[in-house]
Amino acid sequence: TTERPELEDFTWYVEDVYYDGLPEEAVPVADFESVMGGWKGLIIYDPEGEYDTGAMEFLNVSLAGSEKDLSLTCDWYLIFWLDEGSGYDETDMESGVYKGRWENNGLWASGAGTIRLTQFYQLNEKQYAIGTMDTPDGVPALIALVRP
């Protein structure tokens, strides 16, 4: 998808999966080709509030390439700093490109930090992915993707 994400696209994550894990009826997606293409994304920085850098960043993610040589491209859209209560438009920022590979029904990709998408699944005719991001400054982050 190329449609820009909104917070409403991620209520499934911030209100449910983050706390309770995957829904029982979730169907794992293990096929690499099935996860390629465009996604709406959300990155939650400092989810436990340990670094006073809490933020929610909205972006579009594109997965391309092969199992052994994939690229994950982050098209930045908007970041909302929780402590400041303000958002910043990131549409003019250069996209972040991460290189990696598919393994164990998930992927890892490195660039400015490392992204690990560890679980892909399907539920109610939508696809979802969840994982973590190691940021260059060491602040932990969570990442969630969704597409119709």
Side-chain angles (χ1 to χ4, degrees):
T1 183
T2 56
E3 188 178 308
R4 287 298 194 180
E6 299 175 359
L7 183 56
E8 293 77 30
D9 293 318
F10 296 95
T11 54
W12 61 272
Y13 184 73
V14 297
E15 294 179 1
D16 191 20
V17 172
Y18 174 78
Y19 298 102
D20 301 326
L22 297 188
E24 282 184 28
E25 57 276 7
V27 178
V29 175
D31 177 47
F32 172 75
E33 294 297 323
S34 297
V35 304
M36 293 294 96
W39 296 78
K40 292 180 180 182
L42 169 68
I43 300 173
I44 301 173
Y45 296 96
D46 191 16
E48 301 299 321
E50 298 172 7
Y51 297 85
D52 293 326
T53 57
M56 298 178 86
E57 189 165 34
F58 297 90
L59 64 153
N60 289 86
V61 172
S62 177
L63 300 175
S66 66
E67 288 186 38
K68 294 188 183 336
D69 183 25
L70 70 80
S71 72
L72 183 153
T73 302
C74 296
D75 179 11
W76 311 110
Y77 172 50
L78 177 72
I79 190 164
F80 187 80
W81 294 100
L82 302 178
D83 59 338
E84 295 175 16
S86 57
Y88 297 94
D89 184 333
E90 298 181 316
T91 53
D92 290 338
M93 282 180 47
E94 187 174 329
S95 294
V97 179
Y98 297 77
K99 295 290 190 178
R101 68 175 166 242
W102 176 262
E103 55 189 21
N104 301 323
N105 299 329
L107 66 83
W108 67 265
S110 292
T114 302
I115 295 174
R116 290 176 184 83
L117 293 170
T118 54
Q119 295 179 294
F120 287 86
Y121 66 96
Q122 189 160 332
L123 180 65
N124 298 328
E125 299 183 29
K126 286 188 177 182
Q127 282 187 329
Y128 302 89
I130 58 173
T132 60
M133 180 177 187
D134 299 327
T135 62
D137 59 4
V139 174
L142 301 173
I143 185 167
L145 306 180
V146 64
R147 68 181 177 185

